[in-house]
Amino acid sequence: MEETAKQDLVFLELRRKLQSGILFVSSDIARDGADVKVESKHDSLLNIQTADGSYQVNLTPGVSLVETSRQKSPGSSEHASHFRLRLRVEPDSEAPCSVIGRLRVNVTYSFQCQSCGSMVLQDRAFGRVLPLPNGNWNALVDDWCCHPDPFANRKLLPQDGDCLLGDTFILLARDSSCEQTLTREENSSQKASAEYVCVPQQKRVSKRVMLSCSSCSAVLGEELSAEVLKFYITEILVKPGEDGGCDITRLSLEPKSDSIRQRFLEQTLASRLVELSSAQSIFRFSIQTPDGTAVILLWLLNTDTLVASFPGKSFISTGDVHPREHQSCQAVQAVKVLYVLCSDSKLKDVVDVWEKDISVHPLPLPHSSCEELQKLLMSSTFRLPAFLRCMNSYQVAYMRM
């Protein structure tokens, strides 16, 4: 595995519930902890002063610094200066909702391709917005039914005016508005890329009709039947019809650079993980392709985290014209996760245990989103100080909301 990102020069992690935090300052800008001064100029502003300049972090309202103490850095001291922070934290606000948590009945919505912004479905209002049973419900039927499985060979599909909510997708009834905006493509192959093969499984070959945006060819979902469409929440933007400038997925439709796409994917999945863990006490997830092949095993560790960082490439070095110019950034809500890539043959035992555990919750995503998520997690890991990147057999990453 190659490092895909440069380590951050300053990394800050704050925990609301513990009212504490940790700060790491790279030796690239502070060779000794004595060269670093951490102070709070006023509420919700943290100032980190080094010999090369100052770095300001805008904390969220209600979070302020009480005191700072210097700690001995784990591992080699050359990696970073390590500080522990004590905070004052007021009751926090609710975490941002994903699109699944925001859809409502009797509200008109428009659906757009996240990749290019093209309209896919327009002016759709729902008489019912209902959650589907969670991903493992069918495996539990025998445990809570005293008679033969009443759901055998039956699919839960929406009727006209329905919107059914899955864990990472929504089901809608087809209407005429999508005839010119969506492209159908049959795909009967069930073979996953070798990079994603986790454990060999027997899979029956069945035809899968993928739905793509007619404008940019991005895969948006699947056609489950002639009358039912399935859209993944990582591929679409949903906007209330009465407000053309507001999308409930909360990200701009302006030019779709790679960074905007990554931010959208990160925000959407992080919010959804928090919702699932809060509603169903689920903390372990298997990120899968549509054919059920596991790609990433994800363990949700913390949901009360604020993070801020300054990437090395954007810093002003001592050789620059304005070496003492300050940098600033905003601390943001994030989730801390542990993860394992199923393609890592060294961790086959871990993967085998997770695959047999019914408490591990499957989250299906398109192949392309699985690849993007893998890159996103790896990038987050390599930006951390070296001794924070691993925990036992798992790698550590943060997903920002």
Side-chain angles (χ1 to χ4, degrees), residues 171-274:
L171 301 184
L172 306 175
R174 177 190 289 274
D175 67 9
S176 59
S177 68
C178 64
E179 296 302 324
Q180 304 300 319
T181 60
L182 294 175
T183 302
R184 301 170 71 255
E185 180 181 353
E186 288 193 6
N187 179 10
S188 59
S189 174
Q190 295 298 308
K191 294 181 181 179
S193 168
E195 181 180 2
Y196 296 115
V197 173
C198 183
V199 177
Q201 298 182 23
Q202 294 290 333
K203 291 187 175 71
R204 61 185 180 87
V205 176
S206 60
K207 287 187 178 181
R208 214 176 267 279
V209 180
M210 309 307 294
L211 297 176
S212 302
C213 172
S214 296
S215 299
C216 68
S217 300
V219 174
L220 305 180
E222 303 175 36
E223 181 183 86
L224 298 189
S225 72
E227 304 299 328
V228 177
L229 307 178
K230 174 181 181 178
F231 291 107
Y232 289 101
I233 61 173
T234 56
E235 314 307 318
I236 58 170
L237 295 169
V238 184
K239 298 174 59 178
E242 68 273 10
D243 186 357
C246 174
D247 66 275
I248 65 174
T249 40
R250 299 171 291 125
L251 285 182
S252 171
L253 294 178
E254 293 310 310
K256 298 297 181 294
S257 66
D258 289 343
S259 61
I260 291 180
R261 167 59 187 170
Q262 291 172 1
R263 183 74 184 96
F264 174 83
L265 179 67
E266 180 179 29
Q267 184 185 64
T268 299
L269 291 179
S271 299
R272 193 66 188 125
L273 292 176
V274 172

Side-chain angles (χ1 to χ4, degrees), residues 68-222:
T68 304
S69 61
R70 183 182 170 191
Q71 304 285 317
K72 183 178 179 181
S73 296
S76 175
S77 60
E78 68 182 13
H79 288 304
S81 299
H82 175 204
F83 297 86
R84 188 157 298 277
L85 313 179
R86 189 160 66 88
L87 309 172
R88 180 181 296 109
V89 181
E90 297 177 5
D92 58 330
S93 58
E94 294 183 1
C97 289
S98 71
V99 61
I100 286 180
R102 290 169 176 251
L103 287 168
R104 298 290 183 266
V105 297
N106 300 324
V107 176
T108 301
Y109 296 103
S110 295
F111 295 76
Q112 295 176 305
C113 170
Q114 194 278 327
S115 294
C116 69
S118 297
M119 190 69 67
V120 177
L121 297 174
Q122 193 167 8
D123 299 334
R124 296 293 298 266
F126 307 112
R128 298 191 301 176
V129 178
L130 303 172
L132 289 165
N134 76 58
N136 284 326
W137 73 275
N138 214 17
L140 299 173
V141 169
D142 289 338
D143 294 332
W144 49 263
C145 278
C146 57
H147 47 78
D149 183 357
F151 306 106
N153 302 317
R154 296 180 62 185
K155 294 182 179 179
L156 300 177
L157 300 177
Q159 300 176 6
D160 288 340
D162 288 349
C163 177
L164 301 187
L165 309 177
D167 291 328
T168 55
F169 58 86
I170 58 178
L171 301 184
L172 306 175
R174 177 190 289 274
D175 67 9
S176 59
S177 68
C178 64
E179 296 302 324
Q180 304 300 319
T181 60
L182 294 175
T183 302
R184 301 170 71 255
E185 180 181 353
E186 288 193 6
N187 179 10
S188 59
S189 174
Q190 295 298 308
K191 294 181 181 179
S193 168
E195 181 180 2
Y196 296 115
V197 173
C198 183
V199 177
Q201 298 182 23
Q202 294 290 333
K203 291 187 175 71
R204 61 185 180 87
V205 176
S206 60
K207 287 187 178 181
R208 214 176 267 279
V209 180
M210 309 307 294
L211 297 176
S212 302
C213 172
S214 296
S215 299
C216 68
S217 300
V219 174
L220 305 180
E222 303 175 36

